[in-house]
C-alpha cells in the first residue's frame, strides 16, 4: 500500500511526500519517501530524494537538455542496508529519433564490495503518441540480463487505458496486463495482474 502527496511549493520548487507499506506473511516493511525537484532553468532541473525504512537511500540527480533532440541525466545514489553503504551511479542519454520515437541509453554501476560489484547497460526504444505507448528494452549485464516489451493503448473518448507487458530474464518469463480508468478530474484507478513462472500471480491496485 502506498500514499503520495504532491506539494507545489513555489513556481520552481516541487515536493512529493509519501509512505509505503509492504507485507509478506507476518512481516511488514514500512517506508517513508521524500522527493524534491528544483527547476534551475528552462532546460535543466535538480532532484533530491530520500527513502527511510528497511532500506535507506539518498539520491542527487541532474537533468540537462543538451540540444533540441538530446537530453542527459546523471544521478548518484547512496544506499544503506544491513550496516553496509553502497554507492550507485546512473547515467542516461535520450535522443529524439522522430516526432514520436525516442532512443535511450542507460548505464548503471553499483559497488558494495569487490565480490558484489554490479554494472549494466540498458538500451531502449520508446514510441509515444496520443493513443499508443510502446517501450522495448534490452539490458546487458552478467548478473541480470533481460528483455521486456511494454504496450499501452489509450481510449481517449472513455478516459481508459489498456496496458500489457512481457519480461524475459534469469528469473523466467513474466506476463502482465491491466487497465487504468480516469474516474474524476483528479483521480484515477489502476488494476493489473502479473503472471510469473517463478513467483506466481500478483494483483496490484492503485
Amino acid at each position: 500500500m502506498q500514499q503520495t502527496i504532491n506539494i507545489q511549493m513555489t513556481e520552481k520548487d516541487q515536493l512529493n511526500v509519501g509512505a509505503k507499506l509492504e507485507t509478506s506473511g507476518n512481516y511488514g516493511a514500512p517506508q517513508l519517501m521524500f522527493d524534491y525537484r528544483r527547476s534551475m532553468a528552462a532546460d535543466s532541473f535538480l532532484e533530491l530524494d530520500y527513502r527511510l525504512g528497511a532500506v535507506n537511500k539518498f539520491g542527487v540527480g541532474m537533468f540537462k537538455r543538451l540540444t533540441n533532440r538530446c537530453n542527459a541525466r546523471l544521478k548518484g545514489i547512496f544506499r544503506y542496508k544491513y550496516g553496509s553503504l553502497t554507492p550507485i551511479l546512473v547515467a542516461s542519454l535520450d535522443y529524439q529519433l522522430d516526432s514520436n520515437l525516442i532512443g535511450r541509453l542507460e548505464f548503471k554501476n553499483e559497488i558494495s564490495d569487490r565480490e558484489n560489484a554490479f554494472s549494466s547497460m540498458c538500451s531502449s526504444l520508446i514510441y509515444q503518441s496520443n493513443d499508443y505507448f510502446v517501450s522495448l528494452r534490452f539490458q546487458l549485464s552478467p548478473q541480470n540480463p533481460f528483455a521486456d516489451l511494454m504496450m499501452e493503448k489509450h481510449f481517449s473518448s472513455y478516459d481508459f487505458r489498456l496496458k500489457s507487458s512481457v519480461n524475459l530474464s534469469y528469473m523466467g518469463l513474466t506476463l502482465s496486463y491491466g487497465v487504468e480508468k480516469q474516474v474524476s478530474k483528479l483521480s484515477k484507478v489502476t488494476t493489473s495482474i502479473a503472471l510469473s513462472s517463478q513467483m506466481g500471480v500478483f494483483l496490484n491496485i492503485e
Side-chain angles (χ1 to χ4, degrees), residues 121-168:
M121 182 73 74
C122 184
S123 58
S124 310
L125 278 177
I126 302 169
Y127 176 84
Q128 189 168 8
S129 66
N130 292 333
D131 295 327
Y132 291 95
F133 175 85
V134 181
S135 172
L136 178 62
R137 293 193 304 161
F138 297 95
Q139 176 168 294
L140 299 177
S141 168
Q143 294 90 347
N144 184 32
F146 70 78
D148 69 25
L149 174 66
M150 292 187 294
M151 296 173 288
E152 182 177 309
K153 166 65 176 173
H154 182 212
F155 300 90
S156 54
S157 57
Y158 300 100
D159 286 330
F160 178 81
R161 295 178 185 271
L162 184 63
K163 302 180 178 182
S164 63
S165 69
V166 181
N167 179 279
L168 180 62

Side-chain angles (χ1 to χ4, degrees), residues 5 22 25 33 41 59 112 115 117 123 136 141 168 178 181 187 197 203:
I5 300 174
E22 294 182 345
M33 302 172 290
S112 55
E115 296 181 356
S123 58
L136 178 62
S141 168
L168 180 62
K181 172 65 177 174
S187 304
S197 59
L203 172 65

Side-chain angles (χ1 to χ4, degrees), residues 56-206:
N56 299 316
K57 292 194 298 183
F58 175 74
V60 180
M62 183 73 181
F63 170 89
K64 175 69 175 178
R65 183 179 296 276
L66 303 177
T67 68
N68 291 334
R69 287 178 172 265
C70 188
N71 304 325
R73 186 187 297 264
L74 183 66
K75 186 171 185 179
I77 303 170
F78 296 92
R79 184 180 65 197
Y80 184 79
K81 184 178 181 180
Y82 303 135
S84 176
L85 182 65
T86 303
I88 303 170
L89 176 66
V90 182
S92 63
L93 192 68
D94 291 2
Y95 190 81
Q96 192 84 33
L97 300 170
D98 195 15
S99 57
N100 299 109
L101 187 64
I102 296 174
R104 175 175 297 165
L105 186 64
E106 182 179 279
F107 172 77
K108 182 178 180 182
N109 190 37
E110 175 180 331
I111 303 176
S112 55
D113 53 54
R114 290 184 178 180
E115 296 181 356
N116 294 304
F118 173 84
S119 296
S120 65
M121 182 73 74
C122 184
S123 58
S124 310
L125 278 177
I126 302 169
Y127 176 84
Q128 189 168 8
S129 66
N130 292 333
D131 295 327
Y132 291 95
F133 175 85
V134 181
S135 172
L136 178 62
R137 293 193 304 161
F138 297 95
Q139 176 168 294
L140 299 177
S141 168
Q143 294 90 347
N144 184 32
F146 70 78
D148 69 25
L149 174 66
M150 292 187 294
M151 296 173 288
E152 182 177 309
K153 166 65 176 173
H154 182 212
F155 300 90
S156 54
S157 57
Y158 300 100
D159 286 330
F160 178 81
R161 295 178 185 271
L162 184 63
K163 302 180 178 182
S164 63
S165 69
V166 181
N167 179 279
L168 180 62
S169 69
Y170 277 156
M171 298 296 294
L173 180 67
T174 301
L175 305 174
S176 71
Y177 58 93
V179 295
E180 178 185 298
K181 172 65 177 174
Q182 192 79 29
V183 294
S184 72
K185 184 179 180 180
L186 301 175
S187 304
K188 65 181 178 181
V189 176
T190 303
T191 303
S192 62
I193 292 178
L195 309 173
S196 171
S197 59
Q198 295 290 327
M199 305 298 291
V201 182
F202 295 87
L203 172 65
N204 181 62
I205 300 175
E206 298 181 8

